[in-house]
């Protein structure tokens, strides 16, 4: 007993300390009181609560549920063993995609990841908020990701004769040029369901266009420009523009649209140094194609020969609704060729001939072709800016704008209902403006008329211009 009492005194415990059940006072003495930090201000109290909540969110393996463990393992091994949506519930799949890394292989993500939240994270990580133009990509994050990825990969695609290691977007590390080309083609094939619009501003290499379009069967709009990115002063003129090989492969794809590009409706080939010879190659495919309704070959080197070739697309069986051949070298004879094609055309809605060399005579023959259309031209927008247009063309346009009341159309012929007309930067004078004003008194379709940059109008034409502005405003308000 003496030994027991001595031990109890040494340990500082009272009755019950040597038994299986200790007293309450013994339990209190065994533990020291903790000194909890007291916040000195409201901000300190807020910081303390934020730290406590952050500590609670940390994963504790001992407290992690079996479902959370499975989700974590799936995320860690998703690149090697991807999971489809049908193999788990929607809540579990959302938890998996919310933890997936943004550098996941795009070929795997295209087939197995459909959560828009994940693709939004990928787009912001790769492009940043400033370049995420969701409106231009169908308001779908996954479409935005793969369309921009396809564009960047093709712009970085190495040439066929290159024999070195290169860096390509979407491929980790440097790889040999041949391997890079193969991987890019595989990436295009994997993302084919999500690429509908492609804008390539500077295509350095010259891949076979027909092969590329075959991998993208859903492509509806193609904007293609050949060039070199960030070349600086080391500019090689031959590196810019389309080559004969490019034109041949593109023409082959257009002529075999059912296999290569069944949904392609808009084709833009601006600033590619396309001359009459390259246009002749392209025409072989365009004449056999019945899907492309919008064609843009602006900012090239087409002359009268190129205009004659394009006029063949404007026949009675034409499917074109928009044609842009601005900023070329088309002269008077080119206007005559285009006018002939427009005599039997009933599909074209927009025609842009800005910044050419038509002169007054060439523009006049073009407008006369529109007037003499027996079935009635469907043209609604016409741009003749910067072509040295004069009085002769204005009189023919006034007959169109005046409609059937002018008596200039034969029996059974109807005037085209132009809604937009651009005559800026030409050689119009005050009398021409007065002629247009008179024709617009009975017009109920024209809503936009651009007369800027006509230096010969002078102050004497201001009254007519103000009257035209009032007539256009009245037409606009009446159409609402």
């Amino acid at each position: 007993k003496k030994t027991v009492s001595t031990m109890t005194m040494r340990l500082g415990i009272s009755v019950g300390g040597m038994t299986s059940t200790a007293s309450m006072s013994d339990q209190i003495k065994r533990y020291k009181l903790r000194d909890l930090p007291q916040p000195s201000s409201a901000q300190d109290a807020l910081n303390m609560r934020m730290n406590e909540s952050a500590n609670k969110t940390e994963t504790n393996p001992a407290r992690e549920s079996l479902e959370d463990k499975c989700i974590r393992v799936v995320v860690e091994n998703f690149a090697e063993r991807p999971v489809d949506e049908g193999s788990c519930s929607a809540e579990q799949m959302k938890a998996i995609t919310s933890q997936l890394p943004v550098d996941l292989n795009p070929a795997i993500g295209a087939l197995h990841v459909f959560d828009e939240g994940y693709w939004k994270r990928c787009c912001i990580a790769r492009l940043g908020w400033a370049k995420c133009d969701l409106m231009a990509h169908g308001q779908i994050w996954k479409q935005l990701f793969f369309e921009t990825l396809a564009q960047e990969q093709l712009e970085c695609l190495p040439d066929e004769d290159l024999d070195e290691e290169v860096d390509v977007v979407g491929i980790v590390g440097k790889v040999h040029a041949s391997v890079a080309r193969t991987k890019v083609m595989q990436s295009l094939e994997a993302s084919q369901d999500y690429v509908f619009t492609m804008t390539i501003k500077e295509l350095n290499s010259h891949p076979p266009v027909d092969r590329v379009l075959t991998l993208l069967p859903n492509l509806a709009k193609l904007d293609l420009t050949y060039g070199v990115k960030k070349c600086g002063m080391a500019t090689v003129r031959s590196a810019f523009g389309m080559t004969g090989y490019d034109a041949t492969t593109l023409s082959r794809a257009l002529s075999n649209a059912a296999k290569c590009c069944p949904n392609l409706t808009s084709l833009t080939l601006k600033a590619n140094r396309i001359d009459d010879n390259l246009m002749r190659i392209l025409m072989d495919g365009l004449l056999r194609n019945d899907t492309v309704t919008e064609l843009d070959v602006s900012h090239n080197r087409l002359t009268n020969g190129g205009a004659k070739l394009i006029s063949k697309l404007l026949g009675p069986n034409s499917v074109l609704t928009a044609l842009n051949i601005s900023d070329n070298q088309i002269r008077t004879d080119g206007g005559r060729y285009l006018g002939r094609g427009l005599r039997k055309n009933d599909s074209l809605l927009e025609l842009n001939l800005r910044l050419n060399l038509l002169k007054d005579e060439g523009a006049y023959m073009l407008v006369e072709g529109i007037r003499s259309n027996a079935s009635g031209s469907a043209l609604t927008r016409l741009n003749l800016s910067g072509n040295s247009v004069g009085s002769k063309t204005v009189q023919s346009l006034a007959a169109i704008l005046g409609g059937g009341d002018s008596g200039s159309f034969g029996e059974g012929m109807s005037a085209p209902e132009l809604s937009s007309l651009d005559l800026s930067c030409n050689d119009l004078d005050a009398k021409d403006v007065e002629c247009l004003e008179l024709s617009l008194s009975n017009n109920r379709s024209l809503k936009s008329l651009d007369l800027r940059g006509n230096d010969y109008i002078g102050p004497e034409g201001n009254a007519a211009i103000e009257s035209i502005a009032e007539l256009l405003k009245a037409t606009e308000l009446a159409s609402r």
Side-chain angles (χ1 to χ4, degrees):
K1 293 181 179 179
K2 184 178 180 180
T3 305
V4 173
S5 60
T6 304
M7 185 181 298
T8 57
M9 292 175 62
R10 189 185 302 121
L11 294 175
I13 55 180
S14 61
V15 179
M18 299 305 296
T19 62
S20 58
T21 304
S23 65
M24 180 63 69
S25 59
D26 295 336
Q27 295 295 331
I28 294 174
K29 291 179 181 179
R30 285 184 181 182
Y31 300 99
K32 294 183 179 179
L33 295 177
R34 291 183 298 171
D35 295 330
L36 298 177
Q38 298 298 325
S40 59
S41 63
Q43 183 63 36
D44 293 341
L46 178 62
N47 295 335
M48 290 174 60
R49 288 195 298 268
M50 292 178 63
N51 293 333
E52 290 176 0
S53 62
N55 294 333
K56 289 180 181 179
T57 58
E58 294 181 358
T59 302
N60 188 349
R63 298 180 179 179
E64 190 178 16
S65 65
L66 180 59
E67 182 181 19
D68 294 337
K69 290 179 183 291
C70 294
I71 291 176
R72 177 168 53 82
V73 172
V74 169
V75 171
E76 293 174 354
N77 298 273
F78 198 90
E80 292 77 19
R81 296 182 179 181
V83 176
D84 294 325
E85 287 189 341
S87 59
C88 57
S89 65
E91 292 77 9
Q92 293 170 342
M93 195 65 194
K94 187 174 182 180
I96 292 172
T97 55
S98 64
Q99 301 178 35
L100 287 176
V102 294
D103 57 352
L104 182 69
N105 187 350
I108 296 176
L111 300 176
H112 301 281
V113 182
F114 302 95
D115 182 19
E116 279 289 275
Y118 170 76
W119 295 111
K120 180 179 180 180
R121 288 195 292 118
C122 293
C123 291
I124 295 174
R126 287 188 62 251
L127 305 174
W129 271 111
K131 295 183 179 180
C132 290
D133 188 5
L134 198 61
M135 292 292 294
H137 301 274
Q139 296 185 343
I140 301 175
W141 288 104
K142 192 172 185 179
Q143 181 178 339
L144 168 62
F145 177 86
F146 281 106
E147 286 180 352
T148 54
L149 177 64
Q151 170 192 339
E152 294 176 358
Q153 286 185 333
L154 287 174
E155 289 180 348
C156 299
L157 189 68
D159 289 324
E160 293 285 346
D161 54 353
L162 190 63
D163 187 16
E164 60 183 43
E165 292 187 347
V166 295
D167 285 319
V168 178
V169 177
I171 301 177
V172 180
K174 286 190 174 183
V175 295
H176 193 268
S178 59
V179 178
R181 288 192 294 270
T182 302
K183 287 184 175 294
V184 168
M185 293 303 174
Q186 292 174 351
S187 178
L188 291 177
E189 186 176 7
S191 60
Q192 60 179 326
D193 293 336
Y194 307 98
V195 179
F196 300 89
T197 302
M198 184 180 294
T199 302
I200 303 177
K201 299 179 180 179
E202 293 173 324
L203 184 59
N204 185 18
S205 61
H206 298 268
V209 183
D210 54 343
R211 182 185 174 190
V212 174
L213 294 181
T214 302
L215 298 175
L216 302 172
N218 294 320
L219 189 66
K221 182 178 180 180
L222 176 62
D223 187 344
L224 181 60
T225 302
Y226 291 86
V228 181
K229 298 185 68 174
K230 300 179 182 180
C231 59
M233 296 299 294
T235 303
V236 180
R237 191 172 182 82
S238 59
F240 294 85
M242 181 179 289
T243 64
Y245 173 74
D246 301 325
T248 301
T249 55
L250 178 56
S251 178
R252 187 187 306 154
L254 293 172
S255 60
N256 193 13
K259 178 181 178 181
C260 296
C261 47
N263 297 302
L264 185 65
T265 59
S266 177
L267 179 61
T268 301
L269 300 173
K270 59 186 177 183
N272 276 302
R273 301 181 67 200
I274 298 176
D275 55 14
D276 296 346
N277 293 328
L278 290 177
M279 194 66 212
R280 186 173 291 106
I281 299 175
L282 292 173
M283 284 297 299
D284 184 48
L286 288 170
L287 288 173
R288 300 179 183 180
N289 184 279
D290 57 356
T291 63
V292 176
T293 59
E294 299 178 7
L295 179 62
D296 186 348
V297 287
S298 58
H299 309 291
N300 283 295
R301 302 190 299 175
L302 298 175
T303 63
N304 294 336
K308 187 176 183 179
L309 292 169
I310 293 176
S311 66
K312 297 179 181 179
L313 296 174
L314 302 176
N317 298 323
S318 174
V319 296
L320 283 181
T321 59
L323 177 61
N324 188 349
I325 47 179
S326 62
D327 193 16
N328 278 279
Q329 302 171 17
I330 301 175
R331 299 178 181 270
T332 302
D333 288 341
R336 184 174 75 251
Y337 296 139
L338 293 173
R340 288 179 183 175
L342 291 171
R343 287 178 183 175
K344 298 181 180 180
N345 181 276
D346 58 357
S347 64
L348 195 66
L349 301 175
E350 301 180 17
L351 177 59
N352 191 342
L353 280 161
R354 182 177 61 93
L355 295 177
N356 276 284
L357 305 169
L358 293 178
K359 302 295 184 181
D360 193 26
E361 184 66 25
Y364 168 75
M365 288 186 286
L366 173 74
V367 176
E368 281 297 303
I370 299 174
R371 280 184 60 192
S372 59
N373 192 315
S375 59
S377 176
L379 198 66
T380 59
R381 302 177 65 89
L382 178 61
N383 192 334
L384 295 175
S385 173
N387 276 282
S388 300
V389 172
S391 301
K392 198 172 182 180
T393 304
V394 169
Q395 293 176 3
S396 182
L397 284 171
I400 293 177
L401 296 174
D405 295 339
S406 63
S408 58
F409 293 89
E411 184 177 356
M413 298 174 61
S414 59
E417 296 184 353
L418 288 175
S419 62
S420 176
L421 178 61
D422 192 342
L423 296 175
S424 60
C425 303
N426 282 300
D427 298 335
L428 276 60
D429 55 22
K431 293 184 178 180
D432 298 328
V433 178
E434 294 173 357
C435 182
L436 290 173
E437 177 194 7
L438 182 62
S439 65
L440 289 175
S441 59
N442 295 324
N443 186 278
R444 297 295 180 269
S445 63
L446 193 68
K447 303 173 186 177
S448 173
L449 176 59
D450 195 342
L451 297 174
R452 295 173 298 175
N454 288 279
D455 299 333
Y456 297 141
I457 293 178
E460 57 272 17
N462 291 340
I465 291 178
E466 293 178 359
S467 177
I468 289 175
E470 292 297 327
L471 290 171
L472 295 178
K473 182 178 179 181
T475 303
E476 174 69 23
L477 293 176
S479 63
R480 294 182 180 178

